[in-house]
Amino acid sequence: MAVCVAVIAKENYPLYIRSVPTESELKFHYMVHTSLDVVDEKISAMGKALVDQRELYLGLLYPTEDYKVSVFPNQLCRYGYVTNSKVKFVMVVDSSNTALRDNEIRSMFRKLHNSYTDVMCNPFYNPGDRIQSRAFDSMVTSMMVQVC
Amino acid sequence: MNPNIMQLCGAKRLGYFGRSQFYIALKLVAVAQSGFPLRVESINTVKDLPLPRFVASKNEQESRHAASYSSDSENQGSYSGVIPPPPGRGQVKKGSISHDTVQPRTSADQQEPASPVVSPQQSPPASPHTWRKHNRHPSGGNSERPLAGPGPFWAPFGEAQSACLPILLLGSSAGDAVWSGHSPPPPQENWVSFADTPPTSTLLTMHPASVQDQTTVRTVASATTANEIRRQSSSYDDPWKITDEQRQYYVNQFKTIQPDLNGFIPGELLKTEILRGDRTVSVSYSQRRGSAAKEFFTKSKLPILELSHIWELSDFDKDGALTLDEFCAAFHLVVARKNGYDLPEKLPESLMPKLIDLEDTADVGDQPGEVGYSGSPAEAPPSKSPSMPSLNQTWPELNQSSEQWETFSERSSSSQTLTQFDSNIAPADPDTAIVHPVPIRMTPSKIHMQEMELKRTGSDHTNPTSPLLVKTSDLSEENKINSSVKFASGNTVADGYSSSDSFTSDPEQIGNNVTRQRSHSGTSPDNTAPPPPPPRPQPSHSRSSSLDMNRTFSVTTGQQQAGVVAQPPAVPPRPQPSQAPGPVVHRPVDADGLITHTSTSPQQIPEQPNFADFSQFEVFAASNVNEEQDDEAEKHPEVLPVEKASDPASSLRVAKTDSKMEEKTAASAPANVSKGTTPLAPPPKPVRRRLKSEDELRPEVDEHTQKTGVLAAVLASQPSIPRSVGKDKKAIQASIRRNKETNTVLARLNSELQQQLKDVLEERISLEVQLEQLRPFSHL
């Protein structure tokens, strides 16, 4: 269900970004970028350093069809997730299936986090590099191609 | 020797090592090594020239050859002998020599079919390979290939000084099979390419390649060369299979990094650190550890991306560290990659840690951990179902809180979790009826402790509560504790188990009880042993039984309260009276004394059913354990037969509710008596019931106190055990009755729980249906 998944480093540069529909790649990238501001906002708002699984919910920014910025419920939702090390995961989902959204999103973020830690565990991965792990890719793919 | 050889073969004459000269030289080396006089004729006369053993680097090859000469590959030996001199002469010779060698090789091969196999061992990793090829194509169809092979091999050969040894190792065990498997030239060429030696320009490139190889190959001492060799051998039958020599080499390398074969080599960061999210801390950790694995594999000069992928593949458990198996797999992949094999997308089967474990006895490391983790299943809820994860989490908790009643209550609340857990347990210990009950038994049934414990400790190693057993020094106590603890640990199963545990006072009885309990527990929702769902801590059951037990044994009551419910009456007199509150008088025989206890127990039933039992138990002394101290305070021993049936039920009820307890106490009197007659059943039952009742009726704290009290009581009662000997028979009967009561109580509880389960399932189904209905709409 996710149409775009992005892993942003602490310094706000992307470590990994991938989208499903190629035609709107740029749009997704832009959405992710704009959501970073909201993420930072939330981080600073929260006093304690908690891992807020779902700390960002923008009830939709852009509809998939057009580029209009409109508040369009249940079109595209972006969710954010911040780890203790300030690594952010941003996910854009197609909200046509809103049933059990929250739990699903949380589980997806959990999977993302687990895969990310697996990547980190790899001693040959230098923090700050783009994530090129095939396992991570396959996991993200499984998340993206869920609902046609 | 070498000069002589060279002279003999005409190299000196020619000034260089032509192919024929080379071959001759090799043969001479073999001859010399085998101790034959160095004569040209000897080459022809001596048919069985063992393969000269070429060990050592370029310069040392000669000396090494002599030193390490073995009857292995003569080819290689000859190669090595020849190589040192030729480098100076030029690669051309090598080329020609290689050709020459091919031919003699073939003949040699014929003579010594095994030599080719051996050849690999020789220092040059390539040479074995090359030789092999030669062997393969004895007809000499090698042409370029063989040349190319040996060529590059030579270079590395010269350099692979340290690699020689491993290579030797490798070659020796490589066997024909390995070599036979290797047919495709590509590996050879790849290997060559690895050495930076174009296949065609064997000689010329060989030399420079050797140099390069030295720099590149030697990155890891002889590791790379060994890798190459290994790679070759590994590529034969199953590209990913690790041969013995390879494995041995890997293990040796592993030891250099991590002496403990059971340990692991950490990567940069351990997963735990990463999950903590504290990168700075993690980085410092890695610095301290030295990123051993990373450094080691970086030496192989593979691109970081590939190393990263290899790590991904080989770190099976994703813990950020490599166990011996994982390390071997990683090393193997490195070797393969260096040899030109593409890395697989998934870890090949032969490299899977599990498989490796089978092959490598030395490998323990995490493998066992991983496997063990999954194996601890019956107890450990590893993967069974969604609830498994929760169970897994609960496991440590269980263990920790085994002695805590709190956990028990928590567990019991999560019926689903418990159920799953039980299911896990059930399959795990299908045969050890006693065992199951033991661990699960939450209610401390000291009465049965001794007997139960004995049995349990043996079988119940898997149970988290087993540690509890250890803790309790007294047998009886242990029994109780085991049962109780286990119960607490979370498995509803405990109920069933505990009750069974408590019955251990009589080994036979206990066994019967246990089995019976099991069957009961099977019906009853939780506690029972393997077959039935995890024994739920059915307060009613446990209480009732425990009460009875307590009462009957008086002694045990105190202990039961402490948490060890099911102390079989047989257990030596326990200090029950203190805990009179709960337990119902069990045994009719000793009922009198017990009854009094039980009478008091009703009041305390909710709290300390066990106590009553203990008191009764005490009376019965060593008699059967029976139900532990169940909560049924009201058991009256005398009315055994009649009330026995009612007691279990009543006991169950009591467990569930305080009021019930009271009823039980009233009715339990006869039940107790009956219980006494069912020695087998009672012990486990009382425990179970006790647990249940305690659970439900009492707060955890109470259980704790009771448990401790029971324990104390048991301890105190121990000395009095001897005096109860005379009452064994009565105790047995009482325990029998108690057990029966417990059985019925548990049966009822079981039915009730099953009913609940059905309801829950129905709800679930309805919810699912609703979900289905909603789903299509969402798509619109």
Side-chain angles (χ1 to χ4, degrees):
Chain A
M1 272 181 278
V3 291
C4 174
V5 173
V7 178
I8 317 289
K10 182 161 57 170
E11 292 79 18
N12 285 340
Y13 61 84
L15 293 175
Y16 181 89
I17 183 160
R18 197 155 134 214
S19 315
V20 157
T22 49
E23 65 273 9
S24 44
E25 286 259 24
L26 189 59
K27 182 175 62 168
F28 290 131
H29 289 210
Y30 180 64
M31 286 171 71
V32 169
H33 198 271
T34 54
S35 60
L36 286 180
D37 284 336
V38 187
V39 172
D40 284 342
E41 214 179 286
K42 299 229 174 182
I43 293 177
S44 57
M46 292 177 6
K48 15 183 198 167
L50 286 180
V51 176
D52 197 7
Q53 268 200 326
R54 179 174 164 236
E55 49 91 34
L56 166 61
Y57 177 75
L58 302 186
L60 41 135
L61 282 196
Y62 301 89
T64 39
E65 292 72 39
D66 40 16
Y67 285 62
K68 293 185 221 144
V69 180
S70 58
V71 178
F72 219 29
N74 299 342
Q75 269 298 340
L76 285 176
C77 306
R78 288 176 300 164
Y79 294 89
Y81 180 106
V82 177
T83 68
N84 278 338
S85 52
K86 298 290 181 286
V87 172
K88 310 167 188 66
F89 301 114
V90 178
M91 174 160 48
V92 181
V93 300
D94 185 1
S95 339
S96 39
N97 276 347
T98 46
L100 302 177
R101 171 67 35 157
D102 197 50
N103 282 344
E104 290 173 357
I105 300 293
R106 284 181 193 275
S107 70
M108 285 160 88
F109 273 126
R110 206 175 303 122
K111 283 200 313 190
L112 261 179
H113 197 176
N114 283 336
S115 299
Y116 177 73
T117 52
D118 287 342
V119 170
M120 286 295 126
C121 279
N122 193 327
F124 302 104
Y125 172 79
N126 299 317
D129 291 350
R130 297 195 72 97
I131 296 178
Q132 286 155 320
S133 150
R134 300 182 208 179
F136 191 83
D137 279 346
S138 62
M139 190 276 304
V140 171
T141 308
S142 71
M143 275 171 52
M144 307 239 279
V145 185
Q146 284 179 5
V147 178
C148 55
Chain B
M1 175 172 70
N2 284 336
N4 293 338
I5 293 175
M6 290 198 288
Q7 185 176 6
L8 282 174
C9 71
K12 286 214 168 156
R13 174 167 38 90
L14 298 175
Y16 64 88
F17 269 93
R19 177 186 297 239
S20 55
Q21 281 76 31
F22 184 78
Y23 286 133
I24 295 171
L26 289 177
K27 288 203 172 181
L28 286 174
V29 169
V31 170
Q33 286 179 344
S34 55
F36 291 101
L38 210 53
R39 297 271 194 282
V40 177
E41 305 76 53
S42 57
I43 295 177
N44 303 324
T45 54
V46 179
K47 292 297 176 183
D48 270 328
L49 280 180
L51 293 176
R53 199 158 182 79
F54 284 87
V55 182
S57 58
K58 288 200 244 182
N59 299 328
E60 304 168 4
Q61 280 175 356
E62 298 177 12
S63 54
R64 281 205 194 191
H65 299 318
S68 62
Y69 174 73
S70 64
S71 58
D72 295 343
S73 55
E74 66 175 313
N75 297 331
Q76 295 189 346
S78 58
Y79 271 145
S80 58
V82 176
I83 291 179
R89 312 265 180 108
Q91 301 91 14
V92 177
K93 293 175 198 167
K94 286 183 184 176
S96 60
I97 292 171
S98 62
H99 280 290
D100 293 340
T101 51
V102 174
Q103 295 154 11
R105 272 247 262 88
T106 58
S107 59
D109 293 343
Q110 295 163 5
Q111 292 175 1
E112 299 172 7
S115 60
V117 175
V118 179
S119 61
Q121 289 179 341
Q122 308 261 321
S123 47
S127 45
H129 184 73
T130 322
W131 284 118
R132 203 162 14 98
K133 287 209 98 56
H134 290 313
N135 297 334
R136 296 279 157 235
H137 312 278
S139 58
N142 299 337
S143 66
E144 290 293 325
R145 286 276 174 67
L147 285 179
F153 291 144
W154 286 353
F157 174 77
E159 301 160 350
Q161 296 185 10
S162 51
C164 291
L165 295 177
I167 294 171
L168 292 175
L169 275 178
L170 184 67
S172 57
S173 54
D176 292 79
V178 173
W179 292 112
S180 60
H182 182 76
S183 50
Q188 182 184 3
E189 291 173 357
N190 292 337
W191 197 78
V192 175
S193 59
F194 169 77
D196 285 339
T197 308
T200 54
S201 60
T202 58
L203 295 176
L204 293 170
T205 53
M206 239 179 3
H207 204 50
S210 62
V211 176
Q212 294 170 11
D213 288 343
Q214 276 179 343
T215 54
T216 58
V217 173
R218 285 284 184 79
T219 53
V220 185
S222 54
T224 48
T225 51
N227 290 345
E228 292 163 0
I229 295 175
R230 265 191 297 278
R231 172 180 54 100
Q232 292 171 0
S233 52
S234 66
S235 60
Y236 295 128
D237 288 331
D238 169 10
W240 304 112
K241 196 170 70 176
I242 300 182
T243 64
D244 292 341
E245 307 84 60
Q246 286 178 335
R247 174 163 288 284
Q248 189 56 44
Y249 186 80
Y250 297 152
V251 172
N252 293 338
Q253 288 298 314
F254 184 90
K255 284 181 190 162
T256 62
I257 304 178
Q258 163 71 276
D260 177 17
L261 284 179
N262 293 342
F264 52 86
I265 300 177
E268 187 170 291
L269 307 168
L270 281 184
K271 187 156 191 179
T272 52
E273 298 166 349
I274 293 173
L275 284 173
R276 278 209 310 271
D278 189 347
R279 281 208 74 98
T280 57
V281 176
S282 304
V283 171
S284 65
Y285 275 143
S286 68
Q287 289 167 356
R288 286 206 297 273
R289 285 198 304 268
S291 303
K294 179 179 182 179
E295 293 166 1
F296 183 82
F297 285 108
T298 308
K299 288 192 227 166
S300 68
K301 297 285 196 284
L302 283 180
I304 294 291
L305 182 57
E306 298 192 5
L307 289 173
S308 169
H309 188 61
I310 287 175
W311 178 278
E312 240 177 69
L313 290 175
S314 60
D315 189 5
F316 203 65
D317 50 1
K318 297 281 181 277
D319 60 355
L322 296 183
T323 63
L324 183 58
D325 271 350
E326 294 172 341
F327 177 83
C328 291
F331 213 148
H332 202 62
L333 288 170
V334 168
V335 171
R337 188 75 186 109
K338 290 204 102 76
N339 284 328
Y341 283 100
D342 286 330
L343 293 178
E345 287 299 321
K346 274 192 49 173
L347 192 64
E349 279 225 347
S350 53
L351 293 179
M352 289 272 185
K354 290 188 287 287
L355 299 178
I356 294 178
D357 276 339
L358 297 175
E359 302 166 9
D360 190 353
T361 56
D363 157 2
V364 182
D366 291 348
Q367 260 321 299
E370 297 167 349
V371 175
Y373 175 78
S374 56
S376 51
E379 280 48 58
S383 43
K384 238 183 126 195
S385 51
S387 58
M388 291 307 289
S390 61
L391 287 176
N392 291 332
Q393 296 164 5
T394 59
W395 264 107
E397 297 172 12
L398 292 180
N399 291 326
Q400 299 163 5
S401 60
S402 55
E403 293 181 347
Q404 299 171 9
W405 289 105
E406 303 165 17
T407 57
F408 177 80
S409 58
E410 290 173 1
R411 303 273 177 273
S412 54
S413 58
S414 61
S415 61
Q416 190 169 19
T417 304
L418 289 171
T419 307
Q420 291 173 351
F421 179 86
D422 290 334
S423 53
N424 292 330
I425 295 183
D429 291 348
D431 302 328
T432 56
I434 296 178
V435 177
H436 278 290
V438 172
I440 300 178
R441 207 159 53 122
M442 294 205 21
T443 58
S445 54
K446 295 215 170 178
I447 297 175
H448 300 277
M449 276 263 246
Q450 288 176 346
E451 286 112 358
M452 291 295 295
E453 191 177 6
L454 291 175
K455 293 189 185 177
R456 281 191 230 152
T457 48
S459 51
D460 180 21
H461 49 280
T462 53
N463 289 320
T465 56
S466 50
L468 292 177
L469 290 176
V470 178
K471 292 172 190 174
T472 59
S473 54
D474 296 342
L475 294 179
S476 59
E477 291 176 355
E478 290 178 357
N479 290 340
K480 289 184 192 173
I481 292 178
N482 294 333
S483 55
S484 58
V485 174
K486 297 188 187 164
F487 223 80
S489 52
N491 304 316
T492 47
V493 182
D495 283 338
Y497 288 147
S498 59
S499 53
S500 52
D501 289 341
S502 56
F503 289 120
T504 49
S505 57
D506 261 353
E508 303 172 1
Q509 292 173 348
I510 292 171
N512 298 341
N513 291 337
V514 172
T515 51
R516 270 196 272 175
Q517 295 263 316
R518 263 265 194 105
S519 56
H520 282 288
S521 56
T523 54
S524 66
D526 330 283
N527 307 328
T528 46
R536 300 241 181 113
Q538 300 174 354
S540 58
H541 289 291
S542 56
R543 290 255 187 117
S544 55
S545 57
S546 61
L547 282 176
D548 289 342
M549 295 294 293
N550 290 336
R551 275 200 298 238
T552 51
F553 298 113
S554 65
V555 179
T556 58
T557 49
Q559 296 171 348
Q560 291 174 346
Q561 288 176 353
V564 183
V565 178
Q567 277 303 326
V571 175
R574 302 229 175 88
Q576 330 177 293
S578 59
Q579 304 178 351
V584 181
V585 177
H586 279 289
R587 319 242 171 167
V589 180
D590 303 326
D592 297 348
L594 296 175
I595 293 174
T596 55
H597 285 292
T598 55
S599 58
T600 56
S601 58
Q603 300 157 8
Q604 305 174 7
I605 289 175
E607 305 297 331
Q608 306 161 349
N610 300 333
F611 298 165
D613 291 343
F614 280 120
S615 56
Q616 293 177 356
F617 189 82
E618 196 176 57
V619 177
F620 287 107
S623 62
N624 28 15
V625 180
N626 54 86
E627 303 67 42
E628 30 207 346
Q629 336 52 19
D630 305 320
D631 321 327
E632 300 136 344
E634 40 276 43
K635 295 175 193 169
H636 295 294
E638 288 102 358
V639 193
L640 295 174
V642 177
E643 311 209 7
K644 196 164 152 191
S646 60
D647 268 354
S650 61
S651 61
L652 265 179
R653 300 287 186 270
V654 173
K656 293 183 179 176
T657 59
D658 297 345
S659 58
K660 284 186 181 177
M661 293 291 297
E662 294 171 354
E663 296 171 356
K664 277 188 196 174
T665 50
S668 61
N672 291 340
V673 177
S674 60
K675 278 189 186 176
T677 57
T678 61
L680 294 179
K685 284 188 199 170
V687 178
R688 255 188 304 179
R689 274 186 263 172
R690 198 179 159 74
L691 290 173
K692 300 176 208 168
S693 57
E694 288 180 356
D695 253 357
E696 298 177 6
L697 298 181
R698 274 190 269 192
E700 306 161 349
V701 178
D702 292 341
E703 292 177 348
H704 265 293
T705 55
Q706 289 174 4
K707 184 178 172 184
T708 54
V710 171
L711 287 173
V714 174
L715 288 172
S717 63
Q718 296 222 341
S720 59
I721 293 174
R723 60 187 166 97
S724 61
V725 173
K727 302 172 184 174
D728 283 350
K729 191 172 181 182
K730 293 181 183 176
I732 291 173
Q733 293 172 351
S735 64
I736 290 174
R737 277 190 293 263
R738 229 174 294 164
N739 289 342
K740 289 185 184 174
E741 291 168 3
T742 309
N743 282 344
T744 47
V745 169
L746 290 172
R748 284 191 203 175
L749 189 60
N750 182 31
S751 59
E752 290 169 5
L753 288 169
Q754 283 181 343
Q755 190 61 37
Q756 293 175 14
L757 177 64
K758 288 178 192 171
D759 296 337
V760 171
L761 287 175
E762 287 174 7
E763 291 175 13
R764 182 186 164 195
I765 292 172
S766 65
L767 286 173
E768 285 176 356
V769 169
Q770 291 175 15
L771 182 65
E772 290 294 333
Q773 293 170 356
L774 291 173
R775 278 244 174 105
F777 296 136
S778 63
H779 283 287
L780 295 177

